[in-house]
């Protein structure tokens, strides 16, 4: 009877899920209730978790609850420590959830809500969650080794090097595009600039508080920090209304870009306790708090999604980024569907905390499903805006024109009516002078969130909510930026150490300064080009980031596939090989188009040639001609980078295939590095259900 | 209800590292009590803990 009831419940969930997905897929009305998105997502995740993830855990990976985990065998009180699974889940989720799942879906909303939503749902349950869970499992079976080490141990030195270089490259592109988004949100916005700048001294104060004033009182210090942050969101409004003060914080994009580079350099050099660690606490609380608030608001208020299911921009003419639905929606939404970066977390800290292998499904699969849910909410927040408003905020000036009148005329001409008056009123409500051409997703998400929160708590607070949302996104973008710059510095020091061993001493000042400057120069260059690019820069950088992230995911899935084959589980190899195949197809197609397309907004080489020709014939206005040589150089560099990413991707795929073929032919390959079974002490304490 | 709130609070403390020192003392008492060395002070432990926590990649995109 009990089984019958359980089955009935799962059948109901399946029917409900199918109805919700079908509902959002075939709806062609004016608008659709956003609750359908939440219901569809929850049903898809719970079905996949209950059946697919359970099957993978039991049959494909053969999770063994009686086996001692590294945390138990190597317990040392620091990094190896058996931990309650909910706590591990919290750590893991806080580590994997960054700004990526908020930005990608917002940009991809230019295709309409449907393509992005379907890819987030399908990509996560069949790809991203599987990747996170299997890498977490394989790393747990290998004493918590990193993905790079596992690639070296299981496939060979090529795989290890590819993973290392790939991680470094993705870090540079990621930081550049994220800081560009912050710059676009802060340019000529004294309120946003003031609030975001204030997070730096607040973090430093909290750092000193935690280290010296009240050592180790983490919760207390964080509470003070969060209160200060909220206070400074309000204070930003006063600054905005003060003629003298607002001048101090009213800057153009380039000045802000230099400021962010200086900040990145400082963060890489200053001790972690002063800036990095306290900022991370604050951003983690803000992140978890705001995401929860957004979820509650969406469930209670059920705002209407006004974006059409599919827009005409699937033909590749979209204003935010050029390129057809296939393959670009799969490149634009990486985090939230499948994110290679997660493999670094799932193979680093998390496996050292697992108390039991049983928890792998919940933490690996469940953690990614939750991040995917965040992406769905970002999609909802972006698509509850009037489509005209959405495009007015996100379209760069180079596409729709610098003047408001031109921009609204062009956008309305696409069939998404919007007026200058409407945008002026909206900007005024949000406490901004203008919302046009704030490309990158953060501002439109903030407007979306502000309007959702505003309808719950009253419209008089719209400006506050908007700047709260901007601060919330900026603070954890900056956290990714400073943590990433620092990690990049260590990786570079390590690499340079191969040439000159002295460079590998991480605390040697000249090495520290040189490598920090190199890393900042790396992403600073792309940020600078992104700011001077009249087409907004995001349209170039985000696809590059997407390709890099998918490449890292492909490396992780190659490691997984190789291990499955070597473990004589070729029957189940499709679990990792099919998502891998899909990633190879989309990434290669996207790279191919980026290199060879004759469409100026897609092909790097075509754009470079076009600009060269215009420059030579004198057809460019003076201000564009001044930056044209830099843009041309950058387009060539981007083409090279694309070739590089795709080259690494294919190298590792062939390396993996080589290992698999050799194994299947009975030729010698590197042995499996799984640690031998040793029984868990904890097992006697519980009875298997 | 109160018990649930306490569990939640303990979870939060553990997640944030607020109780890291208490857990260290516990681990010390179980494994190193007979080593003859005194445990670290709270300030010294926290320094070590924080510096360790920030090695390697612990944040994602």
């Amino acid at each position: 009877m009990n089984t019958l009831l359980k089955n009935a419940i799962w059948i109901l969930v399946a029917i409900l899920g199918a109805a919700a997905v079908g509902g959002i897929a075939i709806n062609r009305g004016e608008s659709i209730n956003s609750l359908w998105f939440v219901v569809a997502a929850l049903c898809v995740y719970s079905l996949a978790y209950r059946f697919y993830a359970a099957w993978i855990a039991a049959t494909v990976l053969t999770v063994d609850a009686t086996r001692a985990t590294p945390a138990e065998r190597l317990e040392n009180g620091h990094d190896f420590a058996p931990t309650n699974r909910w706590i591990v889940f919290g750590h893991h989720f806080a580590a994997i959830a960054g700004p990526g799942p908020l930005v990608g879906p917002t940009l991809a909303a230019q295709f309409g809500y449907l393509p992005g939503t379907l890819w987030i749902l399908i990509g996560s349950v069949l790809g991203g969650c599987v990747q996170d869970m299997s890498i977490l499992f394989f790393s747990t079976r290998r004493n918590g080794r990193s993905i790079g080490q596992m690639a070296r141990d299981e496939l060979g030195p090529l795989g290890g090097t590819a993973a290392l270089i790939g991680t470094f490259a993705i870090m540079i592109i990621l930081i550049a595009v994220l800081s560009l988004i912050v710059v676009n949100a802060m340019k000529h916005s004294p309120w946003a600039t003031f609030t975001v700048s204030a997070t730096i001294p607040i973090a430093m104060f909290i750092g000193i508080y935690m280290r010296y004033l009240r050592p180790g009182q983490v919760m207390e210090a964080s509470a003070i920090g969060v209160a200060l942050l909220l206070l400074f969101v309000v204070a930003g409004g006063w600054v905005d209304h003060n003629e003298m003060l607002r001048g101090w914080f009213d800057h153009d994009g380039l000045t802000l870009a230099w400021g962010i580079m200086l900040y990145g350099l400082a963060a890489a050099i200053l001790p972690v306790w002063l800036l990095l660690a306290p900022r991370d606490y604050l951003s983690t609380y803000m992140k978890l708090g705001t995401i929860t608030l957004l979820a509650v608001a969406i469930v209670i208020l059920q705002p209407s999604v006004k974006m059409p299911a599919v827009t005409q921009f699937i033909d590749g003419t979209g204003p935010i980024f050029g390129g057809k639905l296939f393959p670009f929606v799969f490149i634009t939404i990486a985090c939230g569907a499948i994110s290679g970066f997660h493999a670094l977390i799932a193979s680093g800290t998390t496996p050292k905390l697992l108390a039991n292998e049983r928890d792998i499904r919940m933490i690996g699969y469940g953690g990614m499903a939750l991040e995917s849910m965040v992406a769905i909410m970002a999609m909802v927040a972006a698509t509850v805006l009037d489509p005209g408003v959405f495009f007015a905020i996100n379209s760069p000036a180079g596409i729709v024109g610098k003047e408001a009148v031109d921009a609204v005329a062009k956008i309305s001409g696409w069939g998404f009516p919007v007026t200058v008056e409407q945008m002026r009123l909206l900007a005024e409500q949000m406490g901004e002078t203008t919302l046009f051409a704030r490309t990158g997703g953060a501002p439109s998400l903030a407007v979306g969130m502000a309007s959702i929160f505003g309808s719950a708590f009253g419209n008089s607070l719209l400006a506050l909510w908007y700047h709260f949302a901007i601060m919330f996104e900026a603070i954890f973008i900056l956290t990714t930026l400073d943590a990433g710059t620092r990690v990049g510095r260590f990786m570079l020091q390590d690499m340079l150490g191969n040439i000159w061993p002295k460079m590998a001493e991480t605390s040697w000042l000249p090495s520290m300064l040189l490598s920090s400057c190199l890393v900042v120069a790396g992403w600073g260059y792309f940020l600078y080009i992104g700011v001077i690019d009249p087409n907004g820069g995001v349209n170039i950088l985000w696809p590059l980031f997407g390709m890099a992230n998918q490449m890292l995911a492909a490396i992780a899935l190659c490691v997984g596939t190789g291990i499955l084959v070597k473990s004589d589980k070729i029957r189940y190899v499709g679990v990792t090989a099919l998502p891998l195949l899909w990633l190879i197809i989309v990434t290669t197609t996207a790279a191919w188009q980026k290199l060879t397309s004759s469409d100026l907004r897609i092909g790097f080489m075509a754009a470079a040639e076009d600009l060269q020709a215009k420059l030579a014939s004198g057809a460019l206005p003076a201000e564009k001609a001044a930056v044209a040589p830099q843009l041309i150089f950058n387009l060539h560099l981007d083409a090279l980078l694309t070739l590089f990413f795709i080259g690494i991707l294919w190298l590792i795929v062939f390396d993996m295939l080589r290992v698999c073929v050799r194994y299947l032919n009975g030729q010698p390959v590197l042995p499996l590095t799984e640690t031998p079974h040793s029984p868990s002490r904890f097992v006697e304490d519980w009875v298997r259900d | 209800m109160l018990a649930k709130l306490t569990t939640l609070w303990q979870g939060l403390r553990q997640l944030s590292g607020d109780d890291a020192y208490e857990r260290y003392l516990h681990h010390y008492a179980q494994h190193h009590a007979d080593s003859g060395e005194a445990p670290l002070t709270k300030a010294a432990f926290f320094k070590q803990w924080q510096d360790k926590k920030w090695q390697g990649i612990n944040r994602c995109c």
Side-chain angles (χ1 to χ4, degrees):
Chain A
M1 182 61 208
N2 208 355
T3 337
L4 197 68
L5 187 69
K6 271 187 189 162
N7 287 343
I9 289 175
W10 282 111
I11 290 169
L12 270 180
V13 171
I15 294 172
L16 187 62
V21 174
I24 58 179
I26 56 174
N27 168 67
R28 291 291 177 274
E30 281 283 291
S31 66
I32 176 169
N33 189 320
S34 58
L35 196 63
W36 285 110
F37 290 75
V38 178
V39 170
L42 288 178
C43 291
V44 168
Y45 301 143
S46 30
L47 284 167
Y49 182 81
R50 169 63 186 83
F51 297 101
Y52 191 47
W55 176 74
I56 294 177
T59 312
V60 181
L61 303 175
T62 48
V63 162
D64 181 354
T66 65
R67 194 181 176 114
T69 60
E72 182 184 342
R73 283 185 288 109
L74 309 172
E75 178 170 9
N76 60 6
H78 308 289
D79 44 353
F80 287 95
T83 309
N84 175 292
R85 62 183 184 152
W86 289 101
I87 304 291
V88 187
F89 185 86
H91 276 301
H92 184 76
F93 181 69
I96 61 171
L102 297 179
V103 178
T106 312
L107 300 180
Q110 77 165 358
F111 292 130
Y113 67 74
L114 188 58
T117 304
L118 288 182
W119 166 233
I120 292 170
L121 293 180
I122 299 169
S124 63
V125 297
L126 297 183
C129 297
V130 176
Q131 173 205 259
D132 289 17
M133 172 166 148
S134 47
I135 293 300
L136 177 59
F137 173 80
F138 293 134
S139 179
T140 306
R141 284 278 171 99
R142 285 161 182 75
N143 288 344
R145 290 218 188 101
S146 72
I147 182 75
Q149 280 171 315
M150 287 198 287
R152 197 163 32 230
D153 295 345
E154 298 287 343
L155 299 180
L158 188 69
T161 315
L164 184 72
I165 298 176
T167 313
F168 187 72
I170 186 180
M171 205 90 87
I172 298 287
I173 303 286
L174 169 73
I175 298 174
V177 69
L178 289 179
S179 39
L180 182 59
I181 290 166
V182 178
V183 165
N184 282 340
M186 294 200 302
K187 67 181 174 196
H188 297 299
S189 166
W191 190 337
T193 310
F194 172 79
T195 310
V196 174
S197 321
T199 61
I200 299 168
I202 294 174
M204 287 180 159
F205 168 70
I206 299 305
I208 294 170
Y209 188 95
M210 271 200 265
R211 185 90 162 187
Y212 294 109
L213 301 181
R214 301 261 293 161
Q217 295 299 105
V218 175
M219 290 290 269
E220 182 184 305
S222 310
I224 298 174
V226 169
L228 282 173
L229 280 181
L230 297 180
L231 179 72
F232 274 80
V233 174
V234 179
W238 305 330
V239 169
D240 194 43
H241 287 109
N242 182 311
E243 269 315 305
M244 187 186 73
L245 284 177
R246 69 172 282 141
W248 294 358
F249 294 97
D250 188 353
H251 298 293
D252 59 12
L254 212 50
T255 319
L256 292 168
W258 288 114
I260 287 190
M261 284 183 235
L262 262 181
Y263 167 75
L265 193 61
I269 296 171
L270 288 177
V272 275
W273 62 264
L274 183 59
L275 188 54
L276 225 86
R279 178 194 269 297
D280 184 70
Y281 280 115
L282 298 181
S283 77
T284 307
Y285 289 118
M286 294 309 298
K287 176 164 68 187
L288 299 181
T290 312
I291 287 172
T292 315
L293 197 62
L294 186 62
V296 172
I298 288 179
V299 170
I300 294 179
L301 303 166
Q302 304 168 16
S304 292
V305 167
K306 297 187 192 120
M307 181 70 80
V310 178
T311 67
Q312 69 266 41
F313 299 128
I314 55 172
D315 65 358
T317 56
I320 304 176
F321 57 91
K324 287 201 171 106
L325 182 66
F326 177 86
F328 285 99
V329 75
F330 307 105
I331 295 295
T332 307
I333 302 181
C335 315
I338 178 163
S339 167
F341 219 108
H342 291 190
L344 302 174
I345 308 289
S347 67
T349 341
T350 310
K352 298 177 183 162
L353 299 174
L354 281 180
N356 192 302
E357 285 190 2
R358 276 183 313 165
D359 305 343
I360 285 175
R361 172 163 71 125
M362 169 186 157
I363 291 152
Y365 203 95
M368 178 62 201
L370 189 58
E371 160 151 308
S372 177
M373 188 73 217
V374 174
I376 291 286
M377 291 196 301
M379 181 59 94
V380 169
T383 50
V384 294
L385 297 174
D386 277 326
V389 170
F390 170 83
F391 284 110
I393 297 175
N394 280 305
S395 303
I399 305 289
V400 291
K402 263 194 173 157
E403 298 304 322
V405 188
D406 303 336
V408 295
K410 185 130 191 191
I411 294 163
S412 301
W414 290 331
F416 303 114
V418 60
T419 62
V420 176
E421 178 56 21
Q422 191 184 359
M423 287 302 290
R424 195 195 58 73
L425 190 69
L426 189 67
E428 193 181 290
Q429 282 180 330
M430 300 296 163
E432 291 289 317
T433 46
T434 174
L435 287 171
F436 279 106
R438 293 200 178 271
T439 316
S444 67
L445 183 64
V447 172
M449 279 168 67
S451 50
I452 293 174
F453 291 150
S455 53
F457 305 99
N459 276 343
S460 59
L461 295 174
L462 270 179
L464 269 183
W465 281 117
Y466 174 81
H467 287 96
F468 170 79
I470 289 284
M471 182 273 290
F472 142 80
E473 271 200 71
I475 189 172
F476 69 98
I477 284 185
L478 291 181
T479 302
T480 306
L481 182 148
D482 49 30
T485 307
R486 201 176 176 90
V487 169
R489 181 197 119 193
F490 286 135
M491 291 171 86
L492 191 62
Q493 281 182 306
D494 204 38
M495 285 190 249
L496 291 175
N498 292 325
I499 306 167
W500 184 25
K502 183 98 179 137
M503 289 299 287
E505 288 172 25
T506 46
S507 51
W508 186 46
L509 192 67
S511 161
M512 194 164 111
L513 285 176
L514 177 73
S515 46
S516 302
C517 286
L518 283 175
V519 173
V520 174
W523 57 258
Y525 164 78
F526 288 103
L527 170 61
Y528 169 80
I529 294 288
V531 172
I532 63 169
D533 186 342
N535 288 342
V538 170
N539 63 337
I540 288 185
L541 282 171
W542 192 261
L544 268 182
F545 161 66
M547 282 190 279
N549 207 357
Q550 306 295 42
M551 173 198 72
L552 206 54
I555 293 178
L557 288 169
C558 276
V559 172
T561 308
I563 294 180
L564 281 182
V565 170
K566 283 164 64 178
S567 321
D568 296 317
K569 287 182 184 158
I570 193 152
R571 278 196 303 284
Y572 306 122
V573 83
V575 168
T576 54
L578 289 179
L580 174 63
L581 185 66
W582 179 245
L583 284 188
I584 296 173
I585 293 172
V586 290
T587 316
T588 309
T589 317
W592 178 256
Q593 294 190 5
K594 279 296 190 188
L595 290 170
T596 61
S597 171
S598 58
D599 184 332
L600 302 182
R601 298 196 44 237
I602 304 173
F604 289 134
M605 299 311 284
E609 275 162 33
D610 174 71
L611 208 53
Q612 189 89 56
K614 279 187 187 151
L615 185 65
S617 66
L620 290 177
E623 56 172 315
K624 278 193 182 166
V627 296
Q630 286 167 301
L631 294 182
I632 293 169
F633 171 77
N634 182 56
L635 285 163
H636 286 137
L637 183 68
D638 293 336
L640 262 179
L641 263 179
T642 308
L643 262 181
F644 175 71
F645 289 151
I646 215 71
I648 288 195
L649 171 76
W650 278 98
L651 260 182
I652 183 129
V653 168
F654 277 118
D655 203 33
M656 182 271 290
L657 288 175
R658 178 188 63 88
V659 172
C660 292
V661 168
R662 282 181 68 90
Y663 181 80
L664 295 174
N665 285 338
Q667 288 165 300
V669 291
L670 290 171
L672 280 176
T673 51
E674 194 169 287
T675 49
H677 180 283
S678 71
S680 169
R681 284 180 284 116
F682 302 143
V683 173
E684 292 146 25
D685 301 343
W686 53 271
V687 183
R688 208 185 165 94
D689 50 20
Chain B
M1 183 65 191
L2 194 68
K4 273 195 180 150
L5 280 178
T6 320
T7 320
L8 190 72
W9 174 242
Q10 284 305 331
L12 269 179
R13 288 196 63 206
Q14 196 180 344
L15 261 180
S16 62
D18 203 54
D19 68 349
Y21 185 63
E22 288 152 46
R23 278 185 289 135
Y24 160 75
L25 286 183
H26 184 70
H27 173 83
Y28 183 90
Q30 281 193 330
H31 297 274
H32 309 287
D34 44 1
S35 68
E37 283 171 47
L40 297 170
T41 63
K42 187 165 186 181
F45 168 79
F46 184 67
K47 267 185 193 160
Q48 218 185 54
W49 178 81
Q50 204 177 31
D51 294 342
K52 251 207 179 82
K53 188 176 153 137
W54 282 94
Q55 280 168 5
I57 299 169
N58 53 3
R59 284 297 173 259
C60 197
C61 40

